[in-house]
């Protein structure tokens, strides 16, 4: 089982020219089914958990930028299934995905700038379902910059993310709706990220996107799905 999962995850590597998008699409479908049926147990096995938190998340997040619509949509679906079934192990990974998604959905608001060490992704992070401080084995994060001038330089050096439009925006909004279905989602965002000095203000940014941009022309027909998520 471990070897099979390793092969499936390695096929997802978008930089591997040996495999085509059709093959990646097939692997995404298998991986999504695996998360749906057994994702809640993956965290119990260190070898499986390590593969998912390291290369699995890395390749899935890269495929979430794919220009192939089929691969893009299935990658988002697989990510949402993974976050729903393994979220207590994916504090850092969920922060990175939500931060990137919110960057594409709307302008970011002032907040804390996380400085993540090179080994953070491989070590993983535990999400606290009851809120408050993260559990043991949280990723190593460098101290938050206190000097306002240095903060400004970090924001200025942040890579530019192209805003999502049309079907891409609808797909990203739908993904947020999917991962927010469990009770207490917004409370967990606030306690695990906004209350953590080393994390981005995910709760604040999400509320900002849903309130300040709610009448934006970019949202179009996606608004009913956002409102049905009962964020606010």
């Amino acid at each position: 089982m471990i070897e099979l999962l390793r092969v499936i995850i390695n096929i997802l590597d978008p930089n591997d020219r040996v495999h085509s998008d059709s093959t990646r699409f097939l692997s995404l479908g298998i991986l999504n089914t695996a998360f749906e049926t057994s994702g809640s147990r993956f965290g119990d096995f260190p070898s499986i958990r390590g593969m998912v938190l390291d290369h699995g998340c890395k390749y899935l997040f890269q495929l979430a930028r794919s220009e192939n619509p089929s691969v893009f949509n299935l990658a988002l679906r697989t990510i949402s299934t993974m976050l729903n079934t393994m979220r207590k192990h994916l504090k850092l990974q969920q922060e990175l995905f939500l931060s990137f998604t919110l960057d594409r959905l709307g302008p970011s608001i002032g907040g804390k700038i996380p400085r993540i060490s090179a080994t953070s992704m491989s070590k993983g992070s535990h999400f606290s379902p009851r809120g408050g401080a993260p559990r043991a084995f949280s990723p190593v994060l460098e101290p938050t910059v206190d000097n306002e001038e240095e903060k400004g330089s970090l924001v200025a050096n942040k890579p530019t993310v192209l805003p999502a439009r049309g079907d891409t925006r609808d797909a990203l909004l739908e993904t947020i709706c999917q991962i927010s279905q469990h009770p207490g989602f917004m409370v967990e965002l606030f306690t695990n990220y906004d209350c953590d000095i080393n994390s981005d203000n995910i709760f604040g940014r999400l509320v900002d996107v849903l309130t300040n941009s709610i009448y934006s022309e970019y949202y179009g027909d996606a608004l009913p799905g956002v409102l049905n998520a009962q964020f606010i």
Side-chain angles (χ1 to χ4, degrees), residues 9 15 19 21 25 47 77 81 132 134 136 149 159 163-164 169 179 192 216-217:
I9 289 177
N15 297 315
H19 304 292
D21 282 345
F25 184 83
S47 55
R77 179 181 174 184
T81 305
E149 183 176 348
R169 174 174 286 272
I179 66 178
N192 284 282
S216 172
E217 61 179 352

Side-chain angles (χ1 to χ4, degrees), residues 211-230:
T211 54
N212 293 347
S213 303
I214 198 168
Y215 295 111
S216 172
E217 61 179 352
Y218 299 124
Y219 279 91
D221 297 334
L223 271 178
V226 178
L227 297 177
N228 288 336
Q230 300 179 354

Side-chain angles (χ1 to χ4, degrees), residues 5 35 38-50 52-53 82 85-90 126:
L5 184 63
F35 282 130
S38 305
S40 59
R41 295 295 309 278
F42 280 0
D44 298 337
F45 303 93
S47 55
I48 295 179
R49 185 177 66 241
V52 173
L53 268 60
M82 177 185 68
T85 57
M86 294 186 63
R87 63 187 181 86
K88 68 179 181 179
H89 303 286
L90 300 172
H126 289 260

Side-chain angles (χ1 to χ4, degrees), residues 5 8-9 12 24-40 42 52 60 71 73-86 178-179:
L5 184 63
I8 292 174
I9 289 177
L12 299 180
R24 293 190 182 92
F25 184 83
L26 178 61
S27 295
L28 282 170
I30 296 174
L31 186 60
N32 183 66
T33 301
F35 282 130
E36 289 178 340
T37 57
S38 305
S40 59
F42 280 0
V52 173
L60 283 174
V71 173
N73 285 287
L74 188 52
L76 291 182
R77 179 181 174 184
T78 305
I79 289 172
S80 65
T81 305
M82 177 185 68
L83 292 177
N84 283 330
T85 57
M86 294 186 63
Q178 291 297 323
I179 66 178

